[in-house]
Amino acid sequence: MKVIICGAGRVGYGIAERLSQEGNDVSVIDNKASLISAITETLDVSGVVGHGAHPEVLAKAGADQADMIIAVTLYDEINMVACQVAHSLFNVPTKIARIRSQSYLAPEYSDLFSRENMPIDVTISPEVEVGKMVLRRISFPGATDVVRFADDRIVMVAIECMEDCPVVETPLKQLSELFPDLSATVTGIVSNGKLVVPNSSDQLHSGDLAYVVCDKGHVRRTLALFGHEEQEAARIVIAGGGNIGYFVARAIEDYQPKTRLKIIESDRERAVAVADKLRSAVVLHGSALDQKMLLQADIQDADLIVALTNNDQINILGSVMAKRLGCKQNLVLINDPSYEDFTKTLGIDSHINPRAVTISGILQHVRKGRIRSVYAVQKGAAEVIEAEALETSMLVGKPLREIELPAGIRIGAIYREGTVIRPDGNTKIKAKDRVVLFAAAASVRHVEQLFRVSIQYF
């Protein structure tokens, strides 16, 4: 597949890295020569220095042969015009744009990105996607990652196995036998920094991170089984009243009205604007690094601080300080992946990488076959994928024990006509079932083949 990526920043680099590793023909456009030099020296991609929306630049990048354009520059208008030019002059079939300004995405303007107006097939809003991720983490305390699939009926949770975790040193098959009515399947394990896709004889060990796919109604029981019985936060402090902070605060007011919420925002004008828009949240003007400000926000009584400023250092240090002042838990937004490796040693309970969230949102539209949703984990080492089974798939009609799945793939759950099914050896997948599975990066191409439309690929 020929793909053009406009923007060689962190998101553009991450997408280019993933797609080039999978053998796609990738061209990257950016007006900064230093970024193009860096990406072409480290990845198997071609680079073009120039403005991503200019016709001659797109032509130089091979737009006349492109199957897809992904516009992820820092500017919405460049992303939109690049997609329009790719459509009008080069007839590029699939156009994806990152749109940050919420005014473009307002419901009353929903037809803006139609084929008749501005032909963009997929819009990705990083702020909204990250905000939703934050809300999911708040809803399931104890999980270090939470993603929903199949109309929100299936949930993937990442759970750390603590020293007193009841399920360690027990074969996964035995766990299924001990809890036959629990719809949960361990699909991936990170042990000593190495990710493995387990089989039924493998065991969890203290310190491991388990990726568990389960029925939404069984998430809290699953967390408890792993020794995590943290209560949902009743008092929350949000550091940062920007787009993400405001989105999260408004959602908490709407859906968790009993939660006591306070926001710390360093920009006075923004603080006043946010305070005017929210109903019950208390908005304070100041820095999350100011101990007096944290105490004014009653951080010593808070259950959770959620640090969502644009500055990683403020998010990390402010959250560490908050815990030392008495806050029970913290959740931190981290843009620079180099900080992620030592968050635990600093006392960070959980973190979110907005780049990873955005890349996952784009990947589901890049994947071939009936792929409905994709979420990348462990810096792209694996993906959790929701796909629709077709009549022609080798998965359909046979008991799973008779199917030799490619290595690196484990099925976590099946969604059929509103019901979640935990798979076992006797389970038969039917056409139109939605299958949620865990796949190592090297096995993703096999997943695409399993769920492709035409029988010729088998």
Side-chain angles (χ1 to χ4, degrees):
M1 182 166 62
K2 171 67 176 176
V3 182
I4 294 176
I5 299 172
C6 294
R10 286 177 177 158
V11 172
Y13 185 99
I15 298 167
E17 184 177 34
R18 297 296 296 281
L19 296 184
S20 63
Q21 287 173 349
E22 295 168 13
N24 296 288
D25 181 1
V26 180
S27 296
V28 182
I29 300 171
D30 201 285
N31 58 8
K32 290 187 178 180
S34 59
L35 291 179
I36 291 298
S37 176
I39 201 168
T40 53
E41 287 176 2
T42 55
L43 303 179
D44 184 17
V45 302
S46 58
V48 177
V49 179
H51 194 291
H54 288 178
E56 71 274 13
V57 175
L58 287 168
K60 189 175 180 180
D64 58 330
Q65 299 176 337
D67 301 294
M68 177 181 294
I69 182 170
I70 303 172
V72 288
T73 74
L74 295 176
Y75 305 101
D76 292 351
E77 291 73 20
I78 293 177
N79 296 338
M80 292 189 289
V81 174
C83 289
Q84 177 71 69
V85 173
H87 171 81
S88 300
L89 298 185
F90 302 102
N91 199 29
V92 177
T94 303
K95 299 156 289 288
I96 299 175
R98 178 169 67 172
I99 306 295
R100 309 185 77 129
S101 174
Q102 297 306 297
S103 62
Y104 288 123
L105 304 172
E108 58 266 34
Y109 308 129
S110 58
D111 63 343
L112 173 61
F113 300 113
S114 65
R115 192 173 184 85
E116 296 76 23
N117 296 316
M118 189 170 291
I120 299 175
D121 301 293
V122 180
T123 58
I124 300 292
S125 172
E127 285 80 8
V128 170
E129 295 304 316
V130 172
K132 289 178 179 177
M133 177 65 72
V134 171
L135 292 168
R136 289 196 291 268
R137 298 281 187 91
I138 293 173
S139 298
F140 296 112
T144 62
D145 208 348
V146 181
V147 189
R148 296 182 179 182
F149 300 92
D151 301 333
D152 286 350
R153 288 295 308 278
I154 295 174
V155 180
M156 185 283 293
V157 285
I159 313 173
E160 186 176 356
C161 298
M162 312 301 285
E163 288 185 6
D164 57 350
C165 179
V167 300
V168 296
E169 314 302 336
T170 305
L172 299 182
K173 181 180 180 180
Q174 190 173 335
L175 290 178
S176 300
E177 295 169 352
L178 289 171
F179 306 97
D181 60 336
L182 181 65
S183 182
T185 304
V186 177
T187 56
I189 300 172
V190 179
S191 184
N192 296 319
K194 181 181 179 181
L195 185 143
V196 296
V197 180
N199 56 49
S200 58
S201 62
D202 287 329
Q203 301 179 12
L204 290 164
H205 304 286
S206 177
D208 286 357
L209 183 69
Y211 287 95
V212 187
V213 174
C214 54
D215 186 312
K216 178 185 176 182
H218 294 205
V219 174
R220 296 194 187 280
R221 185 181 167 200
T222 301
L223 286 167
L225 181 63
F226 277 76
H228 290 276
E229 299 188 76
E230 294 91 337
Q231 296 299 309
E232 194 166 334
R235 298 169 182 258
I236 299 176
V237 174
I238 296 177
N243 289 337
I244 300 174
Y246 170 69
F247 178 90
V248 171
R250 189 180 62 182
I252 290 174
E253 284 193 338
D254 289 342
Y255 300 108
Q256 298 172 226
K258 293 183 180 180
T259 301
R260 298 184 66 177
L261 183 64
K262 295 185 178 180
I263 302 169
I264 300 173
E265 168 55 42
S266 61
D267 183 270
R268 182 175 180 81
E269 187 175 337
R270 177 65 182 176
V272 171
V274 170
D276 288 341
K277 292 178 182 178
L278 296 173
R279 297 187 299 273
S280 59
V282 175
V283 181
L284 304 172
H285 171 230
S287 170
L289 291 180
D290 184 343
Q291 183 170 321
K292 291 182 180 179
M293 178 56 58
L294 288 171
L295 292 172
Q296 187 178 341
D298 296 321
I299 199 68
Q300 68 276 10
D301 299 320
D303 299 307
L304 175 69
I305 182 170
V306 185
L308 302 173
T309 77
N310 290 324
N311 187 302
D312 287 351
Q313 290 89 343
I314 292 176
N315 291 342
I316 293 171
L317 295 175
S319 296
V320 170
M321 188 184 300
K323 281 195 72 174
R324 292 188 176 178
L325 290 172
C327 184
K328 295 182 180 66
Q329 297 284 318
N330 56 33
L331 173 60
V332 180
L333 187 72
I334 298 178
N335 287 280
D336 189 338
S338 64
Y339 288 130
E340 295 179 17
D341 294 332
F342 55 84
T343 52
K344 281 294 179 187
T345 59
L346 289 174
I348 302 299
D349 299 304
S350 188
H351 67 272
I352 293 174
N353 183 335
R355 183 187 76 156
V357 175
T358 304
I359 291 173
S360 292
I362 290 172
L363 281 177
Q364 72 184 78
H365 303 287
V366 174
R367 295 281 173 252
K368 304 178 184 69
R370 290 294 182 90
I371 307 299
R372 300 177 67 104
S373 188
V374 172
Y375 184 72
V377 300
Q378 293 296 308
K379 299 180 181 179
E383 292 178 10
V384 188
I385 299 172
E386 176 192 344
E388 182 181 343
L390 302 167
E391 289 282 2
T392 53
S393 172
M394 63 172 285
L395 294 174
V396 171
K398 300 178 183 177
L400 290 179
R401 69 173 75 256
E402 296 180 10
I403 299 173
E404 290 189 18
L405 283 176
I409 296 174
R410 185 169 170 86
I411 296 175
I414 298 165
Y415 185 64
R416 178 185 300 158
E417 297 177 351
T419 301
V420 178
I421 300 169
R422 183 180 72 172
D424 58 32
N426 297 317
T427 303
K428 292 182 181 180
I429 294 175
K430 296 181 179 180
K432 297 185 179 180
D433 282 355
R434 285 151 72 173
V435 182
V436 177
L437 51 83
F438 190 94
S443 302
V444 169
R445 58 188 178 89
H446 296 303
V447 176
E448 292 179 329
Q449 291 173 346
L450 289 172
F451 293 95
R452 274 183 172 170
V453 176
S454 175
I455 197 169
Q456 65 179 314
Y457 293 103
F458 305 114

